[in-house]
Amino acid sequence: RTQNLITAAQYTVLSGVKCWDCNNNYIYASSVGPTLPTTGFTYIAWARMKSSSATFRTLFRTNPDDHPLLINTGTNNLGMWDNPTGTFNFSGYTVASLADVWAQWVVTGNSSGQTFYINGQQVGTVTGQTAAGNSNWYIGAITTTQNFGYVANTLLYTAKLTLEQIQQNYYGLKGVFGV
């Protein structure tokens, strides 16, 4: 599916990688995308997280609800934000070692919860909360706040990929990002 961008962060090259600078802006598609099915979805991004924990660092934000992958404000805790309840759901994984380095960030989910992967390895889960049922995506931030850092590419699937499929993507692209 191809979507037009109506708001986009500035294009740049960082460490030889063409990417979007999402330190002050975000990427947003102009039309509603497919609704994330409750039977499963996957988001994949090659991104470089900024080190500052002064605000939330949002990699994916869906509309009308939820942040399927973000780093909690004032911490390095990976998880998801549930907008209707106003709660952060911690995955059990901290990401301090990933500041200012390229990494593959993945979140899969269905109506039961979400699973998080970094560089092809499962790192955490949340249960009972999910971004399933949402459409429209902000990537790299929400509005001009909660900026993540740099985003090189994203893949959004309306299916829950297996670990093997996630690793195929990781091993196929890691050389491009010097990982």
Side-chain angles (χ1 to χ4, degrees):
R1 179 179 176 100
T2 301
Q3 303 228 205
N4 294 322
L5 301 178
I6 56 170
T7 302
Q10 185 67 38
Y11 165 80
T12 190
V13 177
L14 183 65
S15 301
V17 175
K18 295 177 183 177
C19 58
W20 298 105
D21 181 349
C22 294
N23 283 292
N24 296 305
N25 211 335
Y26 58 100
I27 304 166
Y28 181 67
S30 62
S31 60
V32 174
T35 298
L36 296 176
T38 56
T39 54
F41 66 89
T42 303
Y43 288 173
I44 300 175
W46 278 90
R48 187 175 170 133
M49 179 186 71
K50 69 180 185 176
S51 61
S52 173
S53 64
T55 63
F56 291 104
R57 288 166 280 175
T58 300
L59 184 54
F60 295 112
R61 163 67 159 97
T62 56
N63 198 12
D65 293 319
D66 306 319
H67 298 70
L69 193 156
L70 66 70
I71 313 306
N72 200 12
T73 189
T75 74
N76 285 300
N77 295 339
L78 172 66
M80 69 93 58
W81 184 267
D82 180 30
N83 279 2
T85 63
T87 56
F88 174 73
N89 297 282
F90 180 43
S91 71
Y93 187 75
T94 59
V95 298
S97 65
L98 297 172
D100 298 318
V101 298
W102 287 108
Q104 181 206 50
W105 301 78
V106 179
V107 59
T108 65
N110 58 26
S111 60
S112 299
Q114 296 185 174
T115 303
F116 300 88
Y117 303 84
I118 304 290
N119 290 338
Q121 300 300 311
Q122 182 179 331
V123 296
T125 61
V126 296
T127 57
Q129 301 296 327
T130 181
N134 287 309
S135 61
N136 273 25
W137 301 278
Y138 295 86
I139 300 168
I142 172 65
T143 65
T144 56
T145 63
Q146 302 181 19
N147 306 92
F148 193 81
Y150 298 91
V151 177
N153 67 15
T154 59
L155 303 164
L156 309 176
Y157 294 89
T158 56
K160 188 175 178 181
L161 297 186
T162 65
L163 175 59
E164 180 181 18
Q165 291 168 319
I166 291 166
Q167 288 176 339
Q168 282 179 321
N169 176 282
Y170 171 71
Y171 289 117
L173 292 174
K174 73 178 193 162
V176 172
F177 296 94
V179 176

